[in-house]
Amino acid sequence: MGKIISFANQKGGVGKTTSAVNIAAALGVLGYKVLLIDLDPQGNATSGVGIMKKTLKVTAFDMLTTDASADSVTMKTKYDNLSVIPTHTTLARAEYELGDIENGEYVMKNKLASVKDKYDYIIIDCPPSLGMLTVNAMTASDGVVIPMQCEFFALEGLSQLMFTISRIKTHYNKELNVTGILITMHNSRLILSMQVISELRKHYADKLFETTISRNVKVSEAPGFGAPVYYHEKRSKGSVEYMNVAKELAERI
């Protein structure tokens, strides 16, 4: 049975989608069968694996708000072992529609039950908020990966996110755990970066991924080509780092 992992952080611009796309692709390269679910209405994970949003006929919105099954909205990508449930901006409406449904927190979990056995990993890219879409993702998940930058505002946001995860675990999903905290856009030459990592080690030593993701031009370029960084430039530092995180994620789970 596959493991479902949400990539979540209510703070935008922390490398959440970049990490979800590149780790999903890296797991595929490693031979695992992977489903990437784009649950962010911006749809960046969709375009990040080469899917043109304007051509979509069915999306995550249909899965969450109609009788459409997860299988019926899944598309294969051109990348090894990687499929995607795509999205575009209409998904934003799902926040309100899920809120009006009785037990709306469980819609994603129920929809994924029919496909969980088909994949080794289901990676969910959550929106940068703690609304119903994120609650749905975490209610369906076995674990949460938290990508975050090395800055003190990120530490404040982490406390809020940990509280939300705790609430969801209490009320909707007793099996939910924090799989890991992933440091992104890391610059080892900055004193602030080292201070933040030191603070994280005090409180979350067992949760920190050993690999950190450096600022890397190739990682930034890859989405413009509709490709994970491994397929854009597999020898780049960012590609190697994301591959190492994928291996560590597989070991943890």
Side-chain angles (χ1 to χ4, degrees):
M1 183 176 286
K3 294 296 183 181
I4 304 176
I5 308 295
S6 287
F7 280 61
N9 194 321
Q10 76 276 18
K11 191 176 186 300
V14 298
K16 173 185 58 63
T17 297
T18 299
S19 297
V21 167
N22 284 302
I23 291 171
L27 288 167
V29 172
L30 291 170
Y32 298 105
K33 195 169 182 186
V34 183
L35 174 63
L36 173 65
I37 302 178
D38 190 350
L39 211 61
D40 185 340
Q42 296 175 88
N44 291 336
T46 299
S47 54
V49 293
I51 306 295
M52 298 288 290
K53 286 180 278 189
K54 63 184 178 183
T55 66
L56 295 173
K57 293 189 171 116
V58 289
T59 67
F61 176 78
D62 299 282
M63 178 183 71
L64 292 172
T65 62
T66 73
D67 291 335
S69 67
D71 255 342
S72 71
V73 299
T74 298
M75 302 175 66
K76 287 190 174 180
T77 74
K78 58 187 175 182
Y79 304 115
D80 294 345
N81 301 310
L82 181 61
S83 298
V84 63
I85 293 180
T87 199
H88 51 51
T89 52
T90 56
L91 183 63
R93 286 165 32 207
E95 286 279 5
Y96 307 103
E97 299 202 21
L98 289 168
D100 289 336
I101 300 172
E102 186 177 357
N103 294 320
E105 297 85 0
Y106 296 95
V107 173
M108 173 75 81
K109 182 175 184 176
N110 294 335
K111 291 283 184 164
L112 293 183
S114 62
V115 298
K116 197 171 181 183
D117 288 341
K118 296 183 179 181
Y119 299 95
D120 297 304
Y121 294 99
I122 298 175
I123 304 293
I124 306 176
D125 180 35
C126 295
S129 67
L130 299 177
M132 277 296 286
L133 289 171
T134 299
V135 170
N136 253 265
M138 290 189 186
T139 299
S141 292
D142 299 290
V144 182
V145 169
I146 305 170
M148 61 174 288
Q149 284 179 272
C150 285
E151 56 180 47
F152 282 109
F153 285 136
L155 287 173
E156 290 181 0
L158 179 61
S159 298
Q160 184 182 357
L161 182 55
M162 287 294 191
F163 177 72
T164 299
I165 292 169
S166 175
R167 289 285 301 273
I168 291 171
K169 183 167 184 168
T170 299
H171 295 288
Y172 307 118
N173 180 5
K174 291 178 181 175
E175 306 303 316
L176 184 65
N177 288 297
V178 176
T179 303
I181 298 169
L182 177 63
I183 299 299
T184 63
M185 305 179 204
H186 181 234
N187 186 342
S188 59
R189 292 173 294 179
L190 292 179
I191 293 174
L192 176 60
S193 292
M194 305 316 294
Q195 288 174 334
V196 172
I197 290 176
S198 175
E199 197 66 23
L200 285 167
R201 283 188 179 131
K202 284 182 191 173
H203 302 286
Y204 305 107
D206 60 325
K207 299 299 183 186
L208 274 179
F209 281 97
E210 289 181 21
T211 303
T212 59
I213 305 300
S214 308
R215 289 188 180 274
N216 184 265
V217 172
K218 295 301 179 183
V219 170
S220 300
E221 283 178 355
F225 292 88
V229 68
Y230 178 88
Y231 294 94
H232 177 56
E233 180 50 79
K234 69 179 180 181
R235 293 181 181 84
S236 69
K237 187 176 183 181
S239 176
V240 172
E241 288 172 346
Y242 272 120
M243 186 61 70
N244 288 338
V245 173
K247 290 174 182 176
E248 191 177 343
L249 179 66
E251 286 173 5
R252 288 187 177 210
I253 295 173

